[in-house]
Amino acid sequence: MSHAYDPALGGSAVTRDRTHALLGQVMGLVAVTVGFAALGAYLGRDLSGGAGLVVFIGAFACIFGLNRAAGTGREQLAVGLLFGLGLLLGLAVAPVIADYANSDPSALWQSAGATAAFVAACGAYGYATRRDLSSWARTLFWALLALIAFGIVAIFVSIPNSHIIYAVAGLGIFGAFTIFDFNRLRRASDAGAVPIAAGIFLDVFNIFLLLLNLFGGGRD
């Protein structure tokens, strides 16, 4: 029996191929950025707190810069700023990572393994669902602001088990961000690869720190 060509099915196959290629590109960028963060954590293990603040400011500048570069078609610059973001955030948290490596290395390995499993589960759901989750953006933004406000209050006010509350709430918020970002990836064009990779990297970075806070007993 002859098989008639269906243009709709052909177009669907092309779309799936393009989406899968974009997924591979984005996850490759995320993996390299994580590598740069690990390099930064190694190089900056003796940094002071003041230097860490400067590095954080540089990281925020990279975020704004890569979004601007991606929006104007300067992909190579955007990729460079993405890798710079990973390096700077690695430098920023390097003293904390070094402290855990010396005093409680098991917390690092537990956090890394749990991060991989958590991100894989949330990412798989976000990528697999056919729903458009763009309506989550505003709610997640305000939830993140509330989490930041709680963290600032907890510095100055004694709240029982505040580190557990902060970590669990943060995991819920960044888990939702991970679902949201992978859902964005399903619908994105090639021009969105670097900004989405930055979003997923930031999800991974924050989830790792939150889990480290839990596994490490909330040590400063």
Side-chain angles (χ1 to χ4, degrees):
M1 180 183 294
S2 63
H3 177 71
Y5 173 70
D6 186 339
L9 292 176
S12 178
V14 170
T15 300
R16 284 197 300 271
D17 289 344
R18 184 194 64 78
T19 302
H20 292 160
L22 183 60
L23 173 64
Q25 179 186 359
V26 168
M27 296 316 296
L29 289 171
V30 172
V32 175
T33 308
V34 169
F36 272 97
L39 176 62
Y42 174 76
L43 296 176
R45 56 194 182 278
D46 296 321
L47 281 180
S48 65
L53 178 60
V54 174
V55 170
F56 262 120
I57 294 173
F60 277 108
C62 284
I63 294 173
F64 287 112
L66 71 87
N67 279 289
R68 180 68 179 271
T72 55
R74 292 178 288 177
E75 184 178 1
Q76 295 302 317
L77 175 60
V79 170
L81 289 170
L82 174 63
F83 295 160
L85 171 65
L87 182 67
L88 290 174
L89 286 180
L91 289 169
V93 300
V96 175
I97 301 299
D99 180 53
Y100 276 103
N102 292 327
S103 61
D104 190 8
S106 64
L108 287 175
W109 298 116
Q110 290 170 351
S111 300
T115 297
F118 189 82
V119 171
C122 292
Y125 173 77
Y127 191 76
T129 183
R130 294 178 179 273
R131 293 174 54 202
D132 182 355
L133 304 180
S134 57
S135 60
W136 288 21
R138 183 183 297 274
T139 300
L140 288 174
F141 173 76
W142 288 109
L144 181 58
L145 287 184
L147 181 69
I148 294 171
F150 177 81
I152 294 172
V153 170
I155 294 173
F156 301 101
V157 179
S158 178
I159 301 174
N161 298 317
S162 60
H163 76 280
I164 296 177
I165 297 171
Y166 181 88
V168 171
L171 287 172
I173 291 169
F174 282 102
F177 265 115
T178 303
I179 294 171
F180 173 78
D181 284 329
F182 274 89
N183 186 257
R184 269 204 307 156
L185 174 57
R186 183 185 177 94
R187 294 168 170 77
S189 64
D190 293 343
V194 176
I196 293 176
I200 292 173
F201 166 72
L202 290 171
D203 298 335
V204 172
F205 182 79
N206 282 285
I207 288 168
F208 172 75
L209 292 181
L210 290 163
L211 287 168
L212 188 61
N213 189 29
L214 281 178
F215 288 122
R219 295 190 298 119
D220 292 333

